[in-house]
Amino acid sequence: MNLETKYWHLHNHKLMNVLSSNELKEICLITNFKTAKKGEIIYFSHDESNRVYTLKRGTIKIVEIDAKGNEIVKDILQEGDLFGQFTLTNQTLDEYAVAVSDYVTCCSFRMDDFEQIIERNPALALRYTKWMGFRLKRLENRYANLVFKDVRTRLIEFLKDWASKEGTNSNDETILKNYLTHQDIASLICSTRQTVTSLFNDLKEKGVLDYTRTEIIIKNDALLAL
Amino acid sequence: MNLETKYWHLHNHKLMNVLSSNELKEICLITNFKTAKKGEIIYFSHDESNRVYTLKRGTIKIVEIDAKGNEIVKDILQEGDLFGQFTLTNQTLDEYAVAVSDYVTCCSFRMDDFEQIIERNPALALRYTKWMGFRLKRLENRYANLVFKDVRTRLIEFLKDWASKEGTNSNDETILKNYLTHQDIASLICSTRQTVTSLFNDLKEKGVLDYTRTEIIIKNDALLAL
DNA sequence: CGGTTTTGGTCATCCAGCCGACATTTGCTT
DNA sequence: AAGCAAATGTCGGCTGGATGACCAAAACCG
């Protein structure tokens, strides 16, 4: 990938648009780009040196493999999100990122380099800290949900959240492009495939939603009432 | 509290020791100090404007009250730790900090002011981001524990962690000053009082530990073997 | 189009640990 | 020292939801 393209990618990035052109050029030099198609693996936790990744286009999921070989979906990320190692402590056993949408582009730089740039660019630093604070809150929220709410409620909150982020509204319905399997959803809300399936059918029966393998159609009123 | 004392407090603070004297003085001017005795409440989430707090001395717990009026211990914090609001999204209903040890000192500043200082001081920014990354990892870890491990294991991990942070070693035993009730521990590991009590007794029976209301004595080998 | 893999659907079984209820112990207060 | 509130102990009943097993329907692919 040539410098101009790199520059363009970075220039349009949420996190980066506080930087001056010179600084952007500087970052370009230390940035790697990667593209991937659906299903391809983008990064491993035990890869090379600590890197920070940021997603330019598409959707990915962060997956971890547990002792029994099960795939645990830890997070779904979208354009503008950051991922990778944030600290020195590399405790995660087997974590990687998989492309979920058709075409995914992401850039990465070595943590050290990024830190140097932060050190010289306070506006970027501030933005980065805010972003991390946001992440923290999000995780805290998820944690609280897990403790206080039952599976049914967690699924409903998950759907609300998803719909508000990616749904296309038409009339009183929201349509979601469904790129997640029941298994994926289950591990996002910490449950099992079977439970998710039967909850989905229960909700369908109650007229809250309708779905096929590629789409979920949500009746807005009915969902919000829950 | 006079300026010299303030200055001294900040000067000895983990987070702040990258700052020059001038910068420290600057922070002094925007910093409030508070002291509290055991049981006193230090901060409310719906207090005034967004503030960041940092603990100078002592131990506190962050507590949340749920819908049913139960006290949920969200975190135990110690010297050098930061707490308070980190982002704009103030969703927590009823969260506050309670002094657990006898004497607690903490300082706070308005988030806005802190941000301005960060903006002018990249080294502080970097340190702050690293600290947040650490928090994130910790929470992620807790989250993973909750999903994958049963209550017994969570309690054991909790004890190991606690012992390594605060335990005083003598021979093959570790002694912990126990300022937490079974109820507190229960909510930290997401369980119930009763379960914690019976697990404690089970561990005592098995010779892993011994305890009174003020002390926990852990047999190092036995605990590590679990 | 046939065969294979992946995803979704359904059911019976089972158990960790929550919950309520109550007894006992400890420590604090006046 | 008496009284009281908070913390600890113990038990049995109950249930959300995990687990495993098996089948049906799509999707994928040569």
Side-chain angles (χ1 to χ4, degrees):
Chain A
M1 192 178 292
N2 63 29
L3 259 181
E4 281 91 87
T5 326
K6 280 193 180 187
Y7 184 86
W8 181 85
H9 272 307
L10 287 174
H11 188 63
N12 283 320
H13 195 289
K14 281 192 222 169
L15 193 69
M16 303 301 173
N17 62 17
V18 285
L19 300 178
S20 72
S21 334
N22 273 337
E23 287 158 342
L24 261 179
K25 273 181 195 143
E26 198 180 356
I27 292 200
C28 273
L29 295 174
I30 59 156
T31 306
N32 280 332
F33 285 84
K34 231 184 234 181
T35 54
K37 285 180 209 147
K38 193 169 183 169
E40 276 187 89
I41 289 172
I42 297 164
Y43 111 110
F44 297 93
S45 65
H46 38 75
D47 252 16
E48 32 178 338
S49 55
N50 275 356
R51 295 190 84 87
V52 201
Y53 294 74
T54 150
L55 196 53
K56 261 307 298 171
R57 192 180 56 171
T59 307
I60 63 168
K61 58 180 178 181
I62 306 291
V63 176
E64 191 176 329
I65 303 296
D66 74 352
K68 289 176 218 148
N70 301 318
E71 210 183 53
I72 317 292
V73 180
K74 289 181 67 180
D75 216 341
I76 300 286
L77 299 179
Q78 266 147 344
E79 195 182 308
D81 286 333
L82 286 171
F83 58 104
Q85 305 300 140
F86 301 113
T87 43
L88 315 166
T89 55
N90 183 1
Q91 282 211 347
T92 37
L93 323 99
D94 231 332
E95 183 183 290
Y96 51 89
V98 186
V100 170
S101 59
D102 287 350
Y103 291 95
V104 168
T105 315
C106 64
C107 12
S108 72
F109 14 75
R110 290 183 44 232
M111 197 62 202
D112 307 357
D113 293 333
F114 188 59
E115 276 174 6
Q116 274 182 31
I117 294 194
I118 278 187
E119 212 151 6
R120 268 176 290 138
N121 195 305
L124 181 61
L126 192 57
R127 190 164 287 220
Y128 185 60
T129 56
K130 280 196 172 164
W131 175 82
M132 289 199 87
F134 180 70
R135 278 294 294 260
L136 205 58
K137 264 280 182 295
R138 200 156 75 111
L139 196 62
E140 237 169 38
N141 214 44
R142 226 174 126 178
Y143 185 68
N145 267 347
L146 190 52
V147 177
F148 301 126
K149 316 236 169 105
D150 62 5
V151 177
R152 187 189 185 79
T153 317
R154 294 208 298 275
L155 178 62
I156 290 169
E157 307 245 300
F158 171 76
L159 285 173
K160 281 181 188 166
D161 189 54
W162 193 8
S164 74
K165 263 200 276 182
E166 295 181 50
T168 44
N169 252 293
S170 70
N171 288 332
D172 50 352
E173 295 181 338
T174 306
I175 297 172
L176 278 169
K177 238 193 86 190
N178 181 17
Y179 47 81
L180 297 171
T181 66
H182 288 183
Q183 178 63 67
D184 286 338
I185 296 173
S187 70
L188 276 168
I189 62 172
C190 294
S191 179
T192 54
R193 211 214 80 225
Q194 293 93 321
T195 309
V196 169
T197 300
S198 51
L199 279 174
F200 255 93
N201 283 318
D202 183 53
L203 291 174
K204 189 195 229 170
E205 223 169 77
K206 297 218 166 91
V208 181
L209 51 76
D210 210 339
Y211 71 101
T212 67
R213 292 200 180 193
T214 48
E215 233 183 21
I216 301 179
I217 300 162
I218 295 172
K219 316 278 174 195
N220 295 339
D221 306 349
L223 186 67
L224 284 175
L226 292 176
Chain B
M1 192 179 291
N2 65 29
L3 258 182
E4 281 92 87
T5 326
K6 279 193 180 188
Y7 185 84
W8 180 85
H9 271 307
L10 288 174
H11 188 62
N12 283 320
H13 196 289
K14 281 191 223 170
L15 192 71
M16 303 300 172
N17 63 16
V18 283
L19 300 178
S20 72
S21 333
N22 273 336
E23 288 158 343
L24 261 178
K25 275 181 193 142
E26 198 180 355
I27 292 199
C28 273
L29 296 174
I30 59 155
T31 306
N32 281 333
F33 284 84
K34 231 183 234 182
T35 54
K37 286 180 210 147
K38 194 169 182 168
E40 276 187 89
I41 289 171
I42 297 164
Y43 112 108
F44 295 93
S45 65
H46 37 76
D47 253 16
E48 33 177 338
S49 55
N50 275 356
R51 296 190 81 86
V52 200
Y53 294 74
T54 150
L55 196 54
K56 261 308 298 172
R57 191 181 55 172
T59 307
I60 63 168
K61 57 180 179 183
I62 306 290
V63 176
E64 191 176 329
I65 303 296
D66 75 353
K68 289 178 218 147
N70 301 318
E71 210 183 53
I72 317 292
V73 180
K74 289 182 67 179
D75 216 341
I76 300 288
L77 299 179
Q78 267 149 343
E79 196 182 309
D81 285 334
L82 286 171
F83 59 103
Q85 305 300 141
F86 302 112
T87 43
L88 314 167
T89 54
N90 183 2
Q91 282 212 346
T92 37
L93 323 99
D94 232 333
E95 182 184 292
Y96 52 88
V98 186
V100 170
S101 58
D102 287 349
Y103 291 96
V104 168
T105 314
C106 64
C107 9
S108 73
F109 13 77
R110 289 182 46 232
M111 197 62 202
D112 305 357
D113 293 334
F114 188 60
E115 275 175 6
Q116 273 183 32
I117 295 194
I118 279 188
E119 211 150 8
R120 266 174 292 137
N121 194 306
L124 180 61
L126 194 56
R127 191 163 287 220
Y128 185 60
T129 57
K130 281 197 172 164
W131 174 83
M132 287 198 88
F134 179 71
R135 278 295 294 260
L136 205 58
K137 264 277 182 296
R138 200 157 74 112
L139 196 63
E140 237 169 38
N141 213 44
R142 226 175 126 176
Y143 186 67
N145 267 347
L146 192 52
V147 177
F148 301 126
K149 316 236 168 104
D150 63 5
V151 177
R152 188 190 183 78
T153 317
R154 294 209 297 275
L155 178 62
I156 289 168
E157 307 245 301
F158 171 77
L159 286 173
K160 281 180 187 166
D161 189 54
W162 193 7
S164 75
K165 264 200 274 180
E166 296 181 52
T168 43
N169 253 293
S170 69
N171 288 331
D172 49 353
E173 295 181 339
T174 305
I175 297 172
L176 277 169
K177 240 193 84 190
N178 180 17
Y179 47 80
L180 297 173
T181 66
H182 288 182
Q183 178 63 67
D184 286 338
I185 296 173
S187 69
L188 277 168
I189 63 172
C190 295
S191 177
T192 54
R193 211 213 81 224
Q194 293 93 320
T195 309
V196 169
T197 300
S198 51
L199 279 173
F200 255 91
N201 284 318
D202 183 52
L203 291 173
K204 189 195 229 168
E205 222 169 76
K206 297 218 166 88
V208 180
L209 52 76
D210 210 339
Y211 72 100
T212 68
R213 288 193 186 198
T214 49
E215 233 184 22
I216 301 178
I217 300 163
I218 295 172
K219 315 279 172 192
N220 294 341
D221 306 350
L223 185 67
L224 284 175
L226 292 176

